[in-house]
Amino acid sequence: MPRLRDVLYSGQITEGEPVYEFERRFASFVGLPNILSFYSGTAALHAALIMAGVQSGDEVISTPMTAEPTNMAIMHSGAKIVWADVEPGNGNISPDSIASKITHRTRAIMVVHYGGIPASMKRIREISDMHGIPVIEDAAHALGARYGKAPVGADSEYTMFSLQAIKHMTTVDGGMLACKNPDDLPQGRRIRWFGIDRHAPRTEVDVKEVGYKYHMNNVNATIGLVQLDHISPVIERHIANGRYFDAALRGISGIELCHGDEASESSYWFYTVLTDRRDDLSRHLTDQGIGNSQAHKRNDLHSVFADSRCDLPGLDSFYSRMLHIPCGWWVTDEDRERIVDTIKKGW
Ligand SMILES: *Cc1c(COP(=O)(O)O)cnc(C)c1O
């Protein structure tokens, strides 16, 4: 509160030094050097699509197993969404399916690390390099996740982290975009503020491209700066709870656990179990007062994305069997033991 109060009374509440300091400190926290802040993760994704060169009429390959903002950002760009199927075992976009959906119009590949489990980035990178198509990672669930001992995003052209209210870390609202190429940063800064270079004398700028009002302000950035001092134990607790479930739920009959490839280390934003009698398990947990949900609707069922519909057998399987159980920082040792005991009793 003291720092928030200071910034609110400072007379300087829009984008300024606290925003730039937050970008620098977030960069060193995630271990990705070129970071741009935005007012939301969705805005950051839209900017990334523009920077990747996506234009109206192009195709972007994406996953339907995600929150709507992933795909709404593609709609904002004017591109056509082409669904790739997902792995039935973890809900992440399937590299084989991506490869089969590439056409001469494909301009970007959008990858989501669903629930925090990194997708198969090694294979996705190979496909992207083979065709010269940039990869945009939606890492909204994956702050703190690692792939091949590096932070997620280390190898992709663009990676977005959301700082929305319910993500691992929050600035109330906000989004951070890691760019692999530092030459992208000036364009990113223009896109987020009406196409204008904020640091040039106003009457001397010539606006050459369409820009947006997507910048972060000093108030949200100050919340982020304070959060950075406290966020590591929060993320560590998600991971500790997730690993506890990995060990304690293994081998229970009727339950399958989700995991990524051998390079993948999850940030456990939520914990997904797969089971054939999903609604029965859900009722059993609810009866015992244990929160559980299907966090997202498969996006291909929405009317707004109707033009992209196609057969997705991997998604049919994952979507009919997935159930998310809590594993966040608020889940105590007693809570997680009770969750495991309740599942072990059968449903
Ligand atoms: C939260 C979320 C976003 C959007 O982030 P905002 O900061 O709310 O715009 C994008 N993708 C996924 C998968 C999300 O969960």
Side-chain angles (χ1 to χ4, degrees):
M1 286 314 291
R3 287 181 66 183
L4 203 45
R5 201 187 138 88
D6 288 348
V7 73
L8 284 168
Y9 283 112
S10 70
Q12 298 180 341
I13 53 178
T14 188
E15 182 190 306
E17 192 43 44
V19 169
Y20 309 132
E21 185 189 345
F22 181 45
E23 288 175 331
R24 290 190 297 271
R25 284 200 44 211
F26 188 87
S28 82
F29 175 72
V30 287
L32 301 169
N34 309 305
I35 294 282
L36 292 172
S37 59
F38 290 83
Y39 81 60
S40 72
T42 312
L45 283 180
H46 183 203
L49 287 154
I50 296 169
M51 286 191 270
V54 173
Q55 294 184 344
S56 182
D58 291 338
E59 292 177 358
V60 174
I61 296 176
S62 183
T63 168
M65 195 60 254
T66 182
E68 287 77 1
T70 311
N71 293 311
M72 208 45 93
I74 301 174
M75 299 299 269
H76 295 166
S77 78
K80 177 174 183 217
I81 297 170
V82 175
W83 299 127
D85 202 359
V86 304
E87 308 280 8
N90 64 20
N92 279 333
I93 195 165
S94 146
D96 287 338
S97 182
I98 293 173
S100 75
K101 300 289 177 113
I102 287 175
T103 72
H104 65 279
R105 282 194 294 274
T106 310
R107 202 43 80 80
I109 300 167
M110 180 74 84
V111 176
V112 176
H113 307 300
Y114 192 61
I117 299 176
S120 296
M121 294 313 299
K122 184 166 177 285
R123 296 222 26 238
I124 293 171
R125 187 73 249 170
E126 284 164 12
I127 295 164
S128 136
D129 287 343
M130 189 189 306
H131 297 274
I133 298 169
V135 175
I136 302 172
E137 292 184 42
D138 174 340
H141 302 172
L143 183 63
R146 299 177 71 77
Y147 191 82
K149 304 289 171 211
V152 287
D155 225 12
S156 291
E157 281 75 4
Y158 304 99
T159 300
M160 177 280 279
F161 297 92
S162 168
L163 304 179
Q164 186 256 342
I166 63 169
K167 302 296 155 67
H168 285 96
M169 171 174 169
T170 183
T171 55
V172 181
D173 263 316
M176 304 305 261
L177 187 69
C179 304
K180 191 161 159 187
N181 185 347
D183 296 343
D184 281 335
L185 297 175
Q187 187 195 9
R189 293 190 183 105
R190 289 194 305 272
I191 289 171
R192 74 183 178 191
W193 211 61
F194 309 116
I196 299 171
D197 174 358
R198 277 174 82 83
H199 300 288
R202 190 66 171 261
T203 52
E204 284 169 29
V205 250
D206 173 32
V207 177
K208 296 193 184 72
E209 68 212 310
V210 176
Y212 298 84
K213 189 163 188 292
Y214 279 176
H215 67 288
M216 181 176 277
N217 65 55
N218 286 349
V219 180
N220 296 103
T222 298
I223 295 172
L225 283 166
V226 176
Q227 279 257 308
L228 279 178
D229 293 334
H230 303 281
I231 199 63
S232 289
V234 171
I235 296 173
E236 281 159 21
R237 183 65 193 180
H238 278 255
I239 293 174
N241 281 338
R243 290 187 177 158
Y244 174 86
F245 286 137
D246 281 345
L249 295 175
R250 186 179 312 145
I252 297 183
S253 90
I255 286 271
E256 247 174 73
L257 307 183
C258 296
H259 46 79
D261 67 23
E262 57 293 338
S264 153
E265 292 173 61
S266 181
S267 59
Y268 297 96
W269 187 54
F270 50 49
Y271 194 91
T272 308
V273 295
L274 301 175
T275 177
D276 290 338
R277 285 171 36 243
R278 189 257 319 279
D279 295 347
D280 293 342
L281 175 58
S282 173
R283 215 170 298 116
H284 174 64
L285 292 171
T286 304
D287 286 348
Q288 300 303 313
I290 294 168
N292 64 93
S293 73
Q294 298 152 66
H296 303 107
K297 176 167 173 164
R298 52 185 284 179
N299 285 189
D300 59 320
L301 297 184
H302 289 300
S303 303
V304 70
F305 304 127
D307 287 350
S308 302
R309 276 189 197 150
C310 62
D311 277 351
L312 300 164
L315 179 60
D316 294 342
S317 168
F318 181 79
Y319 192 70
S320 65
R321 303 178 75 223
M322 72 169 188
L323 190 68
H324 308 305
I325 61 174
C327 76
W329 54 265
W330 59 90
V331 174
T332 63
D333 286 3
E334 299 77 59
D335 291 339
R336 68 192 195 184
E337 283 163 26
R338 204 165 72 79
I339 292 170
V340 169
D341 287 344
T342 306
I343 293 176
K344 276 188 175 157
K345 279 196 195 111
W347 57 95

